[in-house]
């Protein structure tokens, strides 16, 4: 049978999808990319905020249309299913199987049960979702490495703890073993991910163990770049900063979701940092690692956010000059404490504040990129433009599918550099991307 996959939401969800692809492949299903060729279509959903939920519903409904032709089964998994399984089963009966992320231990058993109900018998030889047996979907050189599940922070706006459960770290030895295997398969860039990456190990080892994990990963010869994303400011320690500073393999890149800068708003969000500690951290990072790239996310329109509190955030962004910044309009999520807070901000106000932040950041981003002109960087070449005239690559400053790219002029033969690291000099800026030439 042919099976096609659609993975929605975050990179953590993508790792789950890759494990699902792996188990189907081990059971001799054919993996197809076009849904019209699929006997089974599996949608791994996101249920984080309203826009993600709507995208998941729309995708499921779109895929159901393929049951009019070849497709026999629709399977929906993931976070949306965890939050709304009973409602989904009632409202979308065309879906043959809903599997919550809490039921992944039973994943293959549930798939087999669905197939047997329609008279299709499959052996139960490979019944585990296994990190080391997943199928990498992010190219030949880069892979995500999930180091923990869940979250225990309970920010008042966030449903993740209710969806994914408490923070649970994976064993350090298992992570290193997986990274070793990835390197043997040709992966040269690994990106550590979790909902709260810098809290890694606090549950297993009773201390913040990301520095120790990074040291072990740096010992893997074939790995050239190591990144870690989603670092809460209060758990970025001096030890972690020094590890990043001193190890050439670790990209000088900190993804720090501050969410706001007003102490009043941060308190209502149940965030553990305050304005003073955030400002001190950013100052320290810039002093200790002059070439550091700083990325953040902020939320505008949080319940009770006053004009003055928004202006405080705006002014902070204007002064700090983050290299990368993403903004979100507050999404009122049922079951979260923030949904019950008074003084919910009007949707038009949220939109206006979002537009102001993004217009400001567009200007800042260009200023930060222009500082790179004339400098030389290592670039991982990942492909060519549609017109075939330029290579597309990334420096340590760019996370795949999140940040910009480097467009490189080269007179060398087509395909000759794809998958390789090359030296390049930056010659210009185009939008959020850099222009360069191969040296």
């Amino acid at each position: 049978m042919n099976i096609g996959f659609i993975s929605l939401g975050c990179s953590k969800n993508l790792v789950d999808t890759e494990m699902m692809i792996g188990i189907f492949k081990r059971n001799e299903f054919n993996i197809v990319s076009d849904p019209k060729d699929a006997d089974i279509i599996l949608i791994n959903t996101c249920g984080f905020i309203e826009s993600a939920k709507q995208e998941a519903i729309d995708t499921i409904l779109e895929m159901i249309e393929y049951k009019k032709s070849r497709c026999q089964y629709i399977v929906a998994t993931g976070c949306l299913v965890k939050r709304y399984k009973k409602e989904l089963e009632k409202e979308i009966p065309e879906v043959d199987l809903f599997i919550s992320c809490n039921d992944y231990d039973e994943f293959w058993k549930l798939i087999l049960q669905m197939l047997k109900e329609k008279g299709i018998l499959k052996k139960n030889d490979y019944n585990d979702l296994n990190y080391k047996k997943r199928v990498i979907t992010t190219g030949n050189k880069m892979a995500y490495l999930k180091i923990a599940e869940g979250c225990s922070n309970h920010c008042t706006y966030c449903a993740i703890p209710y969806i994914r459960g408490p923070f649970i770290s994976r064993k350090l030895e298992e992570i290193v073993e997986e990274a070793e295997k990835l390197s043997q398969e040709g992966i040269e860039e690994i990106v550590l991910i979790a909902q709260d990456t810098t809290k890694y190990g606090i549950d297993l080892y009773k201390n913040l163990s990301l520095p120790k994990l990074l040291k072990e990963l740096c010992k893997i010869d074939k790995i050239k770049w190591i990144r870690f994303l989603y670092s809460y400011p209060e758990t970025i320690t001096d030890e972690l900063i020094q590890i990043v500073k001193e190890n050439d393999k670790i990209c000088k890149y900190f993804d720090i979701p501050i969410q706001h800068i007003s102490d009043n708003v941060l308190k209502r969000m149940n965030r553990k940092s305050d304005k003073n500690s955030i400002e001190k951290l950013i100052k320290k990072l810039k002093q200790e690692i002059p070439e550091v790239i700083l990325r953040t996310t902020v939320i505008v329109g949080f319940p009770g956010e006053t004009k003055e509190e928004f202006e405080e955030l705006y002014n902070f962004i204007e002064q700090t000059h983050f290299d990368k910044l993403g903004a979100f309009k507050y999404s009122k999520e049922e079951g979260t404490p923030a949904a019950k807070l008074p003084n919910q901000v009007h949707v038009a106000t949220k939109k206006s504040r979002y537009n102001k932040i993004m217009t400001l950041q567009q200007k800042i981003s260009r200023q930060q990129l222009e500082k790179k002109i004339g400098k030389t960087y290592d670039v991982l070449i990942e492909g060519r433009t549609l017109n075939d005239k330029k290579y597309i690559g990334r420096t340590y400053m760019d996370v795949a599918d999140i940040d910009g790219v480097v467009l490189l002029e080269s007179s060398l033969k087509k395909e000759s550099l794809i998958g390789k690291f090359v030296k390049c000099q930056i010659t210009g800026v185009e939008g959020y991307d850099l222009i360069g030439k191969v040296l």
Side-chain angles (χ1 to χ4, degrees), residues 152-155 199 234 266 270-274 277:
S152 299
N153 290 321
H154 292 281
C155 301
K199 201 166 280 183
E234 64 273 9
L266 290 169
N270 194 35
R271 300 287 290 183
K272 308 303 186 291
S273 299
D274 58 19
S277 64

Side-chain angles (χ1 to χ4, degrees), residues 246-263:
E246 295 168 4
N247 286 271
D248 291 339
K249 289 190 177 187
I250 305 175
C251 295
K252 313 311 181 211
Y253 184 112
F254 280 82
D255 173 28
I256 311 170
I258 63 169
Q259 308 305 13
H260 215 280
I261 201 61
S262 162
D263 284 339

Side-chain angles (χ1 to χ4, degrees), residues 45-62:
T45 64
C46 176
F48 181 43
I49 57 176
E50 189 59 40
S51 58
K53 289 186 283 187
Q54 190 59 55
E55 180 188 22
I57 295 292
D58 291 344
T59 302
I60 292 170
L61 295 176
E62 182 184 347

Side-chain angles (χ1 to χ4, degrees), residues 264-313:
N264 289 333
V265 177
L266 290 169
K267 188 174 182 179
R268 293 199 298 276
M269 289 178 166
N270 194 35
R271 300 287 290 183
K272 308 303 186 291
S273 299
D274 58 19
K275 182 176 184 176
N276 182 54
S277 64
I278 292 170
E279 288 180 332
K280 282 184 176 179
L281 172 63
I282 290 170
K283 183 178 180 181
K284 180 182 290 185
L285 286 169
K286 290 183 176 181
Q287 286 177 340
E288 290 291 328
I289 313 174
E291 70 273 33
V292 71
I293 297 298
L294 297 180
R295 178 182 178 83
T296 195
T297 54
V298 297
I299 296 173
V300 297
F302 189 77
E305 183 188 55
T306 63
K307 180 182 178 182
E308 291 74 23
E309 288 166 345
F310 170 74
E311 288 176 351
E312 186 178 0
L313 175 63

Side-chain angles (χ1 to χ4, degrees), residues 5 66 98 111 116 181 228 294 338 371 383 389 405 429:
F5 293 85
Y66 288 97
F98 289 100
I111 294 291
K116 286 175 182 177
K181 182 176 183 294
F228 54 95
L294 297 180
K371 293 178 182 178
K389 292 183 178 179
V405 297
V429 175

